[in-house]
Amino acid sequence: MGIVNLTPDSFSGDGLATDSARAIAHARHQIETGADLLDLGAESSRPGAKATVLDEELDRLLPVLDALAGCGVPISVDTYKPEVMRAAIAHGASMINDIYALRRPGALEAVAGSDCAVCLMHMRGEPLSMQQSPAYGDVLAEVRAFLGERVAASVAGGISRDRLVLDPGFGFGKTLEHNLELLRRFGELSSEGLPLLAGISRKSMLGAITGRPVGQRLPSSLAAALIAVQRGARILRVHDVAETRDLLAVWQALGPALRFA
Ligand code: 9MG
C-alpha cells in the first residue's frame, strides 16, 4: 500500500496538499514502482494534528481520486468522516482506512451500504493528545479485544467479515515499548483470522530506536516491514514502495517453507 499524502503537515515531509498535479504524479510513481494499492489521505493523523474541516478535506481529495480512476490499482481513502467516506465511495474508492475504526457517528452506516473494504485501526485517544502518557495493562490483549469488538460492531452493522482488514495502529496512543510489543507479537493479532495491515514506515518509533530524523529512516522502515511480514502482515502501508518491493522479493525468494522460519 503506497502512501499518498494530500496534507500540508505530513510527519514524513511528503505532504502534497497544495498541488494536485504533483500528488497525481506521485501516486502514478507509487504504482509504477510496485504498489498494489494506494492510500490517499487528506487529513493529517500525526501526533498533535488538529482536525481538518470537511470542505478542505474533500477539495484536496476528490480531484486526485477522480484523476486516478482506472489507474489499475484499488484506491483506499484514509478518513474517519462519514461525509468523506460517502464521497470517496461515490468517486470510486475501494477501501476506507479509518483510524477510528468506524467509531464516529454515521461512519459505519456510510460504508455498510457499499461493497467497499474497510481497515479497522486501533487508536487510543485522538491524534491531538494520543501521545500524552498512553498506558495499558497488556497492550496486545487490549488492542486485540478492541479490534474484536470493532469486527463484531461492523458485522452487526452490515459489513461482512470478508471486507475487513485489521491494524494495531503503530504510534497511535502507544509508547515505544507498546509499539515494540505489538511488533514482536504481531502474529497474535490475527486471532480474528482477518488480514493484518502494518503501518510503521518512517514513524517516530524508528527515530527513537535509531536516533535518525524522518528523512533517514528507510533502512529501519525496511527492517520493521520485514519483521511485520514474517509475522503475518498482508498489507504494508509504506512511503518507499520500490525499496519495500525489493525487500519482499528477497523474502519471497526463500520459498514458502522458509519464509516464516
Ligand atoms: C493514516 N495512517 C497513518 N498511519 C497509519 C497506520 O499505521 N495504519 C493505518 N491503517 N493508517 C494509518
Side-chain angles (χ1 to χ4, degrees):
M1 173 188 262
I3 298 170
V4 181
N5 231 316
L6 308 174
T7 63
D9 55 347
S10 142
F11 81 94
S12 61
D14 66 344
L16 297 160
T18 51
D19 189 342
S20 320
R22 266 184 69 217
I24 294 159
H26 178 68
R28 294 197 189 288
H29 175 75
Q30 298 280 59
I31 297 168
E32 281 156 21
T33 52
D36 292 322
L37 168 69
L38 295 180
D39 191 37
L40 308 190
E43 171 167 352
S44 177
S45 54
R46 68 177 165 73
K50 295 201 179 92
T52 305
V53 293
L54 173 64
D55 286 350
E56 210 170 305
E57 189 173 343
L58 289 170
D59 287 349
R60 290 176 191 164
L61 174 69
L62 296 183
V64 180
L65 191 51
D66 288 344
L68 293 173
C71 68
V73 302
I75 309 284
S76 159
V77 171
D78 151 26
T79 188
Y80 58 82
K81 294 193 184 83
E83 298 87 344
V84 178
M85 292 177 184
R86 287 184 195 279
I89 293 167
H91 286 251
S94 300
M95 182 186 226
I96 297 298
N97 173 24
D98 185 359
I99 62 169
Y100 282 86
L102 303 181
R103 282 178 292 153
R104 306 282 290 210
L108 220 148
E109 294 77 6
V111 290
S114 71
D115 59 2
C116 214
V118 184
C119 179
L120 300 171
M121 195 197 81
H122 175 272
M123 171 170 63
R124 173 71 58 86
E126 50 188 45
L128 188 61
S129 54
M130 65 189 176
Q131 288 308 104
Q132 293 166 9
S133 317
Y136 298 82
D138 177 340
V139 67
L140 190 102
E142 289 172 48
V143 168
R144 204 157 67 164
F146 170 88
L147 292 174
E149 182 272 315
R150 295 317 300 155
V151 170
S154 300
V155 171
I159 304 173
S160 56
R161 285 175 62 87
D162 60 358
R163 293 168 58 192
L164 300 175
V165 172
L166 305 182
D167 180 348
F170 289 103
F172 284 84
K174 287 143 191 127
T175 63
L176 173 60
E177 195 39 57
H178 297 141
N179 289 318
L180 287 173
E181 180 68 358
L182 290 170
L183 185 56
R184 272 184 212 112
R185 300 177 62 192
F186 192 81
E188 295 175 49
L189 289 162
S190 69
S191 65
E192 287 284 336
L194 296 174
L196 290 171
L197 183 151
I200 313 177
S201 179
R202 299 188 191 173
K203 282 194 175 167
S204 65
M205 63 181 276
L206 303 174
I209 296 167
T210 61
R212 303 272 182 203
V214 70
Q216 295 173 19
R217 294 184 193 154
L218 176 58
S220 52
S221 297
L222 294 174
L226 180 58
I227 295 165
V229 286
Q230 284 181 321
R231 284 159 171 69
R234 297 287 301 278
I235 303 175
L236 299 172
R237 184 178 181 277
V238 302
H239 299 87
D240 303 290
V241 170
E243 294 83 350
T244 308
R245 267 280 167 213
D246 283 359
L247 173 150
L248 290 173
V250 173
W251 179 67
Q252 283 168 333
L254 288 179
L258 290 177
R259 232 173 261 159
F260 297 99

